């Protein structure tokens, strides 16, 4: 198709759907103003920012802030923590809503299914502040329900939120209990699109429950799983600021201090804006490479991908 | 004839133009816009309060733009305001935290000349030594508030001591023994094992009196206390006595005499534990003792008596920490009307302003009424405890004043006031607001307060302080919660050395004279 005919086709499309184009235009303008134009100010990451000289006058130092980043002993620790916690959340947390959706899909009792779905979905709408309060009430070493139970059974109470051994498992567990219901709904929606005749054919062929799940259900939602997995990998260096900030304390910095909390302390509280912009750019670059890389790999393996 | 007409018309036009220019110029000279930022805890009807009214009456040529920044958002928003370079003409911030950045960025104006010209009441009424907190590189950049910096004391539940038949502890060992009894001997006689000797507030905060027994302290703002040792400024954070103090606290924590959850208590949890009658020793401001005791009584503890005592006497000393982090008022380096801004601020220190604002200047003190001379009469200590309207009135004053360096508790506050009878009246009013616990507590705080020899930050703080502070908090809580003290301490010393500690020490010793 020549350029002229393409333009002609676009013109016809535009005339036909002009209102849709105008609606899209508003969104594009929003993106340009709030997402693309601010990119320019990322250049501060390559400057030695001075309050006196401002953004324009501060001297250019190339990769100086990035070098400082990798010489900062605390940054290397938060990078390690971020990777470990994120890997745990992906490794354990990512399959959980899939399993929940599969379970709910197989439950015959509508009332039971709706009840479970509602119970698992509600925590998603509770803020981390409230959720943390509930966790304190359960895990408190002096009055927490769990510790009371442990002591009644003859054990010794555990200061869960101040324990290096328990902090990461608690982050993963709280993430799963809070967000699994929400993601399960996405998989449930995908499951609704799987052709029922394939199930019937599988039953006729003598497939048991697990064989039906393995050979029919999972392939049926594989594209959704793949897309969500790629997007999740792009967030590998994003653990969730609110969750960690509310739950952590200096007692667990060694295992729980992550890039986002480090960035908050250095940037917002400490005023080191150039340094923390460099951290942000580093995070984005890693996320970008991971999305591209995982998309390419998964496309080869599963034929599904983002584009 | 024609020429004379032309001349006449020309002259008229000339005078008319001159008058217009003069009028316009006059207006430009007269109208001044001043932006003023302070840090309220909550928003009140300040624009209709006597504070603002008094300023606007005195300075009709000034167009005030009030820019309150809620204190709860201050820590996040202030650094961003600094980076934007958009600080108001008059603003309030913490001298300890940001002085180097403010000076470096020309965000704070040097005040020496302008204070000499229009700031005689600020200088004349400043609390002794307070102006030093706003000095940097030999110049004055801030007017630190004149509230007492020495206002922390060790307090103890006297009613619990009485219930257990114990004497007031003096030495560290005696304090430990009392803490043990408060924890294990049911001091409140409720038949439950639900009390503790003392508590931290979020990591190792608010227990400085125990540290001072070892001759070191972290300070309740955790900015570190510096002392002169061997003729040099040295940081308490890295002294061997700090390790000893932390190990001692670890021992107490292990024994269970410190509330087990207090290492992660936030302010509300910490304050709540005291109000729930759970903890016997309290390191805090005597000015809040009446609030503590009246709250305990309202909660049903009829004979509650939290009372100030001398801090524990330990192997290396005895003491409490002074505030160490004075709040002050700065004037923007970019202000076009610096002299007017200082003149306006100076006015808030005058007798005329005090009377026009009806004494509603300091949030901590609420005037009850005006006497026959029109002088403010403040709530007495007893009235504050019993008058049902007091709390409402206090909040009204709290949220309608803009926040200046003025406070009743500054003994120099009325130095420049011409009416000495009024000055005496004001001093008497302050005395009336004090109860027994506060008077004793203030005296003890004044006697035992240790002031850091490093009054202001140095340039290297901007780069290194955040990491060092975070790491100190971490190692302190690790040691207290039972980690291998030797290993953690050695790691901390190595970290301090490799992450700017020596550089900060060098600058402190270069820039701040040893007294």
């Amino acid at each position: 198709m020549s350029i002229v005919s393409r333009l002609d086709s676009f013109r016809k499309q535009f005339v036909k759907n002009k209102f849709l184009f105008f609606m899209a235009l508003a969104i594009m303008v929003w993106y340009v103003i709030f997402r693309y134009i601010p990119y320019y100010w990322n250049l501060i990451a390559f400057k030695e920012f001075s309050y006196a000289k401002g953004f324009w006058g501060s001297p250019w130092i190339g990769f100086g802030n990035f070098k400082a980043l990798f010489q900062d002993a605390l940054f290397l620790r938060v990078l390690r923590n971020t990777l470990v916690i994120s890997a745990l959340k992906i490794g354990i947390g990512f399959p959980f809503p899939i399993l929940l959706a599969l379970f709910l899909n197989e439950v015959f009792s509508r009332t039971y299914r709706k009840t479970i779905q509602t119970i698992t979905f509600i925590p998603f709408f509770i803020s981390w502040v409230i959720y943390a309060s509930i966790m304190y009430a359960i895990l408190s070493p002096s009055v927490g329900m769990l510790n009371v139970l442990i002591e009644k059974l003859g054990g010794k109470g555990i200061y869960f939120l101040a324990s290096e051994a328990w902090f990461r498992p608690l982050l993963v567990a709280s993430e799963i209990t809070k967000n699994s219901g929400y993601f399960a709904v996405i998989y449930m929606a995908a499951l609704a699109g799987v052709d029922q005749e394939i199930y019937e054919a599988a039953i006729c062929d003598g497939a048991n429950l697990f064989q039906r799940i393995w050979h029919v259900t999972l392939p049926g939602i594989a594209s959704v799983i793949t897309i969500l997995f790629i997007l999740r990998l792009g967030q590998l260096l994003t653990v969730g600021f609110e969750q960690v900030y509310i739950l952590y304390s200096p007692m667990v910095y060694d295992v729980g201090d992550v890039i986002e909390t480090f960035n908050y302390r250095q940037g917002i509280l400490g005023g080191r804006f150039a340094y923390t912009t460099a951290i942000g750019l580093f995070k984005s670059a890693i996320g970008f490479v991971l999305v591209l890389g995982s998309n390419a790999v998964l496309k080869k393996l599963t034929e599904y991908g983002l584009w | 004839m024609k020429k004379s007409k032309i001349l006449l018309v020309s002259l008229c036009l000339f005078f008319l133009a001159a008058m217009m220019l003069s009028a316009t110029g006059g207006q430009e000279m007269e109208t001044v816009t001043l932006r003023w930022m302070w840090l309220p805890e909550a928003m009140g009807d300040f624009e209709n309060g006597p504070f603002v009214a008094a300023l606007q009456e005195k300075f009709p040529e000034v167009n005030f733009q009030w820019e309150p920044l809620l204190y709860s958002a201050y820590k996040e928003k202030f650094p961003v305001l600094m980076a934007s370079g958009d600080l108001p003409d008059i603003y309030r911030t913490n001298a300890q935290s940001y002085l180097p950045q403010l000076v470096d960025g020309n965000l704070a104006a040097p005040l020496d000349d302008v204070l000499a010209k229009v700031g005689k009441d600020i200088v004349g009424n400043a609390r002794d030594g307070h102006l030093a907190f706003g000095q940097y590189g030999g110049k004055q950049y801030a007017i630190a508030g004149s509230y007492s910096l020495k206002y922390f004391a060790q307090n103890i539940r006297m009613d619990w001591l009485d219930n257990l038949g114990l004497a007031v502890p003096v030495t560290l060992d005696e304090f430990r023994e009392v803490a043990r009894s408060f924890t294990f001997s049911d001091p409140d006689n409720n038949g439950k094992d639900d009390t503790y000797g003392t508590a931290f507030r979020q990591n190792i905060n608010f227990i400085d009196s125990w540290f001072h027994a070892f001759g070191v302290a972290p300070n309740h703002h955790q900015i570190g206390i510096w002392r002169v040792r061997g003729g040099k400024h040295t940081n308490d954070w890295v002294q061997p006595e700090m390790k000893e103090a932390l190990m001692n606290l670890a021992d107490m924590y292990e024994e269970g005499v410190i509330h087990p959850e207090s290492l992660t208590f936030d302010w509300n949890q910490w304050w709540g534990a005291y109000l729930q009658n759970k903890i016997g020793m309290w390191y805090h401001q005597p000015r809040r003792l009446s609030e503590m005791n009246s709250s305990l009584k309202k909660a049903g503890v009829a004979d509650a008596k939290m009372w100030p005592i001398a801090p524990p006497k330990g192997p290396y000393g005895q003491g409490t920490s002074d505030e160490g982090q004075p709040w002050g008022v700065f004037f923007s380096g970019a202000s076009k009307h610096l002299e007017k801004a200082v003149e306006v601020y100076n006015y808030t220190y005058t007798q005329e302003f005090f009377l026009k604002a009806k004494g509603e200047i300091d949030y901590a003190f609420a005037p009850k009424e005006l006497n026959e001379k029109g002088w403010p009469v403040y709530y007495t200590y007893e009235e504050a405890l019993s008058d049902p309207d007091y709390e409402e009135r206090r909040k009204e004053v709290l949220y309608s004043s803009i926040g200046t360096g003025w406070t009743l508790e500054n003994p120099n506050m009325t130095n420049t006031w011409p009416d000495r009878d009024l000055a005496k009246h004001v001093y008497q009013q302050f005395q009336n607001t004090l109860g027994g616990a506060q008077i004793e507590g203030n005296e003890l705080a004044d006697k035992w307060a240790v002031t850091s020899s490093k009054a202001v930050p140095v340039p290297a703080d901007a780069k290194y302080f955040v990491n060092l502070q975070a790491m100190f908090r971490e190692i302190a809580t690790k040691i207290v919660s039972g980690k291998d003290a030797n290993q953690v301490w050695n790691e901390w010393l190595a970290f301090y050395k490799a992450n700017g500690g020596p550089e900060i020490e060098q600058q402190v010793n270069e820039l701040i004279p040893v007294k």
Side-chain angles (χ1 to χ4, degrees), chain B residues 362-383:
Chain B
D362 181 357
Y363 72 90
F365 304 98
K368 186 182 176 188
E369 58 200 1
L370 300 180
N371 69 9
E372 68 283 358
K373 292 179 179 173
W375 296 352
V377 177
Y378 290 79
Y379 281 89
T380 65
Y381 173 75
E382 288 76 19
E383 285 170 343

Side-chain angles (χ1 to χ4, degrees), chain A residues 49 51-52 72 74 77 140-142 159 164 249-251 253-254 262 264-266 268-270 272-273, chain B residues 75-76 79 82-83 98 101 104-105 203 253 260-261 263-264 463 466-467 471 473-474 477-478 481 483 495:
Chain A
F49 178 70
Y51 288 105
D72 188 329
L74 286 187
R77 185 177 75 175
S140 156
S142 56
Y159 198 170
E164 288 185 355
S249 69
M251 294 181 75
Y253 275 4
D254 222 9
F262 179 76
Y264 169 76
R265 288 201 308 273
Q266 296 282 339
I268 301 295
L269 301 184
R272 298 180 70 190
F273 295 106
Chain B
K75 275 189 178 177
E76 283 86 6
M82 281 168 63
Y98 301 114
Q101 292 100 315
D104 172 54
N203 58 75
Y253 188 72
E261 278 168 80
L263 278 169
T264 53
K463 187 174 177 187
V466 175
N467 270 0
M471 187 51 85
R473 282 179 181 151
E474 186 178 332
T477 48
K478 273 182 176 174
S481 62
K483 294 277 184 322
F495 184 91

Side-chain angles (χ1 to χ4, degrees), chain B residues 427-440:
Chain B
Y427 180 73
Q428 188 56 50
Q429 291 301 309
F430 173 58
Q431 293 301 313
N432 292 348
T433 65
L434 298 175
Q438 286 163 311
I439 293 168
E440 279 188 40

Side-chain angles (χ1 to χ4, degrees), chain A residues 189-231:
Chain A
L191 282 168
V194 179
D195 192 343
Q196 290 301 309
E197 286 181 9
I198 304 176
Y199 283 111
E200 286 161 15
I203 291 168
C204 289
D205 289 345
N208 64 24
L209 177 64
F210 293 103
Q211 284 168 326
R212 288 201 301 272
I213 289 173
W214 187 253
H215 294 290
V216 180
T217 311
L218 283 176
I221 61 170
S223 58
V224 175
I225 294 174
T226 308
I227 288 167
L228 287 179
F229 187 68
I230 293 169
L231 292 175

Side-chain angles (χ1 to χ4, degrees), chain B residues 20 30 32 50 137 184 198 203 206 290 331 340 365 476:
Chain B
M20 284 172 71
E30 283 173 7
V32 170
F184 303 116
T198 189
N203 58 75
F206 280 81
S290 55
F331 299 84
K340 180 59 79 177
F365 304 98

